[in-house]
Amino acid sequence: MSPFTGSAARTPGWEHLRVDIADGVATVTLARPEKLNALTFGAYADLRDLLAELSRERSVRAMVLAGEGRGFCSGGDVDEIIGATLAMDTAQLLDFNRMTGQVVRAIRECPFPVIAALHGVAAGAGAVLALAADFRVADPTARFAFLFTRVGLSGGDMGAAYLLPRVVGLGHATRLLMLGDPVRAVEAERIGLISELTEEGAADEAAQQLAHRLAEGPALAYAQTKALLTSELDMPLAASVELDASTQALLMNGEDYAEFHAAFTEKRPPKWSGR
């Protein structure tokens, strides 16, 4: 996402999310615990717009996406979204589905790593939000369920049919997206859907620790690594190694690369500037 913007001011507050920023880490909490953090139209829009703002400002170096209460996110709100979509025409439905996809693109394309802190249920759209993150830190209570076929829709919602096979392989992705069966934490770790499995109740803390580790590191190197991982998913090898070469040549002209050499020579930890 480009850091250049027009006259739009920074949003002073977010109605559908709780946002805390400290020490380069943004903690974004889905805060409807009474509804298992079910998503509304406003929550989707806030996530999309927040990620765009944070990407432009470049002050955040890592983000944690968490859920308040008993679970991470139960998906789209049955009354406020599923019920409402039954009254929409095709053009309105297309606008809505494009918006949900924009949230996933924003997570994948923002220039900082995103960590999903998972406990309890991550279902439907909630499972896809976690899937789109760069890291999924979960405790043993976490369970994923890609429920779209269970409501008569395609399992390939919000980019799930693109992302999930690339994370767990086509065989597991076919089973999860077609059947919609829940996947508990132990199996999710086995098939690669979880990056780190913690003790019960420790996912939020572990996600924060990882976020601060990333925030203290070479931000530009992380941003470019994330961009290459996303861009090269569909590239042939020749194009990928050429893009890698161009990226490394640019970073070798950066301050962090020179700082590493200076720190190594002086036998001290590097002081990363993200430049």
Side-chain angles (χ1 to χ4, degrees):
M1 295 183 186
S2 172
F4 300 104
T5 185
S7 58
R10 181 178 182 179
T11 304
W14 300 92
E15 181 181 350
H16 304 281
L17 306 167
R18 188 167 68 246
V19 181
D20 301 292
I21 301 176
D23 301 323
V25 174
T27 302
V28 180
T29 306
L30 306 174
R32 297 182 76 208
E34 74 284 357
K35 293 277 191 176
L36 269 175
N37 302 316
L39 298 164
T40 62
F41 295 118
Y44 279 117
D46 273 4
L47 270 174
R48 176 199 61 194
D49 296 344
L50 170 65
L51 284 158
E53 285 195 15
L54 295 179
S55 297
R56 289 195 299 267
E57 291 178 3
R58 300 294 170 100
S59 59
V60 166
R61 294 189 170 201
M63 176 179 135
V64 174
L65 181 61
E68 183 180 325
R70 294 180 294 116
F72 175 70
C73 176
S74 59
D77 189 286
V78 173
D79 296 319
E80 294 193 35
I81 287 187
I82 297 178
T85 53
L86 293 174
M88 292 182 179
D89 61 27
T90 301
Q92 292 171 316
L93 290 169
L94 185 56
D95 284 341
F96 165 64
N97 282 284
R98 282 175 172 162
M99 177 178 70
T100 65
Q102 288 165 358
V103 176
V104 170
R105 284 191 60 186
I107 293 173
R108 292 303 318 142
E109 294 174 3
C110 64
F112 45 80
V114 176
I115 305 154
L118 304 166
H119 69 285
V121 67
V128 183
L129 292 181
L131 174 64
D134 301 289
F135 300 89
R136 284 162 295 283
V137 177
D139 82 1
T141 68
R143 62 189 186 279
F144 297 82
F146 297 88
L147 297 174
F148 307 107
T149 60
R150 296 286 187 95
V151 300
L153 297 176
S154 164
D157 194 51
M158 297 170 61
Y162 178 88
L163 291 172
L164 192 58
R166 289 162 170 80
V167 172
V168 302
L170 180 60
H172 290 306
T174 300
R175 171 172 60 92
L176 299 184
L177 293 183
M178 282 198 178
L179 300 179
D181 290 341
V183 180
R184 297 191 179 275
V186 172
E187 183 188 1
E189 183 186 34
R190 178 179 64 81
I191 65 177
L193 189 52
I194 286 176
S195 310
E196 178 184 349
L197 185 59
T198 73
E199 298 294 326
E200 186 168 341
D204 285 346
E205 181 181 353
Q208 287 291 332
Q209 290 175 353
L210 176 56
H212 281 85
R213 174 185 171 184
L214 291 163
E216 293 167 2
L220 185 57
Y222 292 154
Q224 292 306 115
T225 302
K226 177 172 180 172
L228 292 178
L229 284 167
T230 299
S231 299
E232 293 182 18
L233 286 172
D234 300 311
M235 282 187 181
L237 178 60
S240 294
V241 296
E242 179 63 22
L243 183 56
D244 287 352
S246 300
T247 301
Q248 295 295 52
L250 290 171
L251 291 177
M252 285 174 177
N253 270 322
E255 293 178 17
D256 279 348
Y257 187 62
E259 166 61 12
F260 165 77
H261 184 262
F264 182 83
T265 303
E266 297 166 16
K267 296 181 172 55
R268 60 171 175 80
K271 299 175 183 177
W272 306 113
S273 66
R275 296 183 176 87

